[in-house]
Amino acid sequence: MTVAIGQPIPDFTASATGDTTVTLSELRGKQVVVYFYPKASTPGCTTEGGDFRDRKAAFDAANTVILGVSRDGIRAQENFKAKQDFNFELISDKDETLCRLFDVIKLKKLYGKEHLGIERSTFLIDTEGRLAREWRGVKVKGHAQEVLEAAQELDAES
């Protein structure tokens, strides 16, 4: 089963940075941005995380929690978060449970070789736990701002 616009997201619990566990149902009443990135501490992922970090106060004002997700282990996520001064939690999805739920594992080509990897994607979940918006095959430039505007619009409607 994968997620679809307007449908409830199945509840999940995942290990995150800061020695925390994130459970989607515990975030009800808040909007949630879940953004998937290919690999911690790589240039595009660092830029994208920084763009979300720099807009966190505006996301907070729109009643929206930010969560970053990749297949990196928790130690790599902790190092990435600390080095980039991220002010939100990063989820370690080594077993690809969330990646499969959100259908973000795609065949990618790198230097002529094919491999399965995370397609940069973002999902906006409403206060009731339903998928409100999705962005797939994301280009980093301007993306966090676009997600923020969607979160603000959704918040204004509720």
Side-chain angles (χ1 to χ4, degrees), residues 103-122:
D103 191 29
V104 298
I105 301 289
K106 303 291 179 194
L107 195 59
K108 299 168 87 174
K109 265 195 167 118
L110 187 64
Y111 307 119
K113 289 194 171 115
E114 289 189 336
H115 70 284
L116 287 173
I118 291 180
E119 176 185 54
R120 193 180 303 280
S121 306
T122 302

Side-chain angles (χ1 to χ4, degrees), residues 33-96:
V33 166
V34 180
Y35 81 93
F36 289 85
Y37 56 94
K39 188 149 185 49
S41 302
T42 56
C45 300
T46 299
T47 299
E48 184 179 28
D51 288 348
F52 278 108
R53 175 198 62 217
D54 295 347
R55 288 166 177 77
K56 185 172 183 299
F59 276 104
D60 288 347
N63 190 35
T64 306
V65 174
I66 304 166
L67 297 169
V69 184
S70 76
R71 298 184 300 182
D72 295 291
I74 206 75
R75 176 171 285 147
Q77 297 286 50
E78 290 285 8
N79 291 342
F80 186 35
K81 179 184 172 189
K83 189 172 180 193
Q84 301 305 325
D85 202 21
F86 291 156
N87 45 12
F88 53 87
E89 302 306 335
L90 301 177
I91 291 174
S92 168
D93 191 35
K94 275 180 99 67
D95 65 1
E96 296 179 4

Side-chain angles (χ1 to χ4, degrees), residues 4-19:
I5 298 284
Q7 296 302 306
I9 305 280
D11 198 19
F12 63 80
T13 297
S15 297
T17 49
D19 206 17

Side-chain angles (χ1 to χ4, degrees), residues 16-29:
T17 49
D19 206 17
T20 60
T21 302
V22 173
T23 301
L24 184 61
S25 59
E26 291 175 3
L27 297 172
R28 285 281 148 73

